[in-house]
Amino acid sequence: MRQCVTSSLHDPQVARVLRGATVAYLGVEARRGPHVTPHRFTAADGRIWIIVPDRALKVRALRKRPRAGVLIRGRDGRSVVITGTAEIHSLREPGEAVRAAFHLPSIAAAGASYAARNVTQMAGYAVDLLTMTRGSMPLDRVLIAIRPDTATVLDEPDPAAAGGDTRWSDIADRLPSTVAPLLGTAGDAALGWSTPNGPLVLPARWEPAGARITVPTGVDLPRSAPASLTLDRSVGRRPTGFRGVVVQGAGDLAGGRVTLAPRTASWWKGFETGSIAVDEPAPAGNALMATA
């Protein structure tokens, strides 16, 4: 159920969710549809701030189309779904460097807020950098600021109903052994959905039995659109221990259900990444199902 819609991160309901959250799911419009990944974040100067590698797909996508979606899950059974415009601040691109110079006070405040909010993870980054193990932290970082157009507070979805015995065995078999178990474990997920106003990222509940997803009710979505499912277990201090997978495909909304026929899957373990292509779209009986 939709709780409130605002454009301000200072709204009491929005602020309450943000205070109890640790991760923001950033959705961008990539070539094959929405691409959603988790990041540590902070909220400052009315914007959401995230630090990412400059070479990341999401940075390339935002430089082409700056519309972004953000999902932030709280600890009280509610989430904030944000749509807005992203700005990239870096020293590599002249235009971005000039923009950063004009926003130095905001950037300084965001940097201080980010450090205070994510002190444990930053310590983990430092350990990875000092040890320089395989897949350690890349040094080419940029700052992304998302200014909200809307911030909607939603109740978390109910657990997914039991389905058939459909499994994505082909995808799981081709993923690294440290990532593949995510597809077989029930838990929280993020559903990306393309809209005319940019990507939307919704809180979801993943149930591997029947490959079903549940999302909150009362959210308007286009009937057919590129879509994605993100499963991640990016917890702990050291980023080299993070794991996740994003499955992208063609989404369709009918009769209160979303079907996502998988076409590609991208994965990460620490700072190592990879992708696989599904040879053929999944048949109707082998599609992701969601209650919208």
Side-chain angles (χ1 to χ4, degrees):
M1 178 182 294
R2 188 169 299 186
Q3 300 296 320
C4 76
V5 181
T6 178
S7 61
S8 173
L9 300 182
H10 301 294
D11 180 274
Q13 292 191 56
V14 174
R16 189 177 303 115
V17 173
L18 297 186
R19 281 196 298 270
T22 58
V23 175
Y25 288 85
L26 173 64
V28 302
E29 202 63 65
R31 183 167 60 90
R32 291 188 174 93
H35 186 81
V36 181
T37 48
H39 304 273
R40 295 296 176 125
F41 78 99
T42 194
D45 194 29
R47 287 172 280 185
I48 298 296
W49 300 79
I50 296 170
I51 298 175
V52 302
D54 181 64
R55 66 173 181 264
L57 180 150
K58 60 187 71 66
V59 176
R60 299 195 302 271
L62 288 173
R63 282 174 174 150
K64 294 179 180 178
R65 190 183 185 202
R67 297 296 299 172
V70 178
L71 164 65
I72 299 175
R73 310 181 86 127
R75 297 176 180 174
D76 60 353
R78 290 184 175 181
S79 296
V80 172
V81 173
I82 294 170
T83 62
T85 302
E87 292 182 344
I88 300 173
H89 301 284
S90 77
L91 299 179
R92 293 196 171 200
E93 297 291 332
E96 294 169 1
V98 170
R99 182 166 57 216
F102 279 100
H103 290 86
L104 279 179
S106 295
I107 292 174
S113 176
Y114 186 96
R117 186 184 188 104
N118 301 292
V119 61
T120 300
Q121 190 195 41
M122 292 188 72
Y125 269 74
V127 171
D128 281 340
L129 179 60
L130 290 172
T131 57
M132 293 302 291
T133 55
R134 184 170 181 261
S136 291
M137 180 184 70
L139 301 178
D140 54 339
R141 296 268 149 173
V142 301
L143 188 63
I144 296 177
I146 301 97
R147 186 183 299 276
D149 294 331
T150 63
T152 305
V153 179
L154 298 174
D155 290 331
E156 284 286 331
D158 295 326
D165 59 356
T166 303
R167 300 184 186 280
W168 281 9
S169 57
D170 180 60
I171 296 177
D173 289 345
R174 295 162 61 188
L175 292 173
S177 59
T178 52
V179 176
L182 294 176
L183 290 177
T185 305
D188 292 338
L191 180 70
W193 199 262
S194 292
T195 77
N197 196 37
L200 188 66
V201 187
L202 296 174
R205 182 74 182 175
W206 164 249
E207 175 56 61
R212 291 180 181 265
I213 310 165
T214 308
V215 295
T217 58
V219 180
D220 294 328
L221 297 174
R223 179 181 174 88
S224 298
S228 67
L229 172 71
T230 298
L231 301 167
D232 81 283
R233 298 297 178 264
S234 298
V235 296
R237 283 184 57 195
R238 298 182 62 174
T240 45
F242 294 174
R243 304 286 185 270
V245 59
V246 181
V247 180
Q248 293 175 293
D252 186 71
L253 176 64
R257 287 184 174 178
V258 175
T259 60
L260 174 59
R263 292 180 177 171
T264 63
S266 303
W267 56 267
W268 67 90
K269 52 175 184 174
F271 294 103
E272 297 178 53
T273 62
S275 62
I276 60 175
V278 180
D279 292 335
E280 297 179 358
N286 191 31
L288 285 178
M289 296 184 178
T291 303

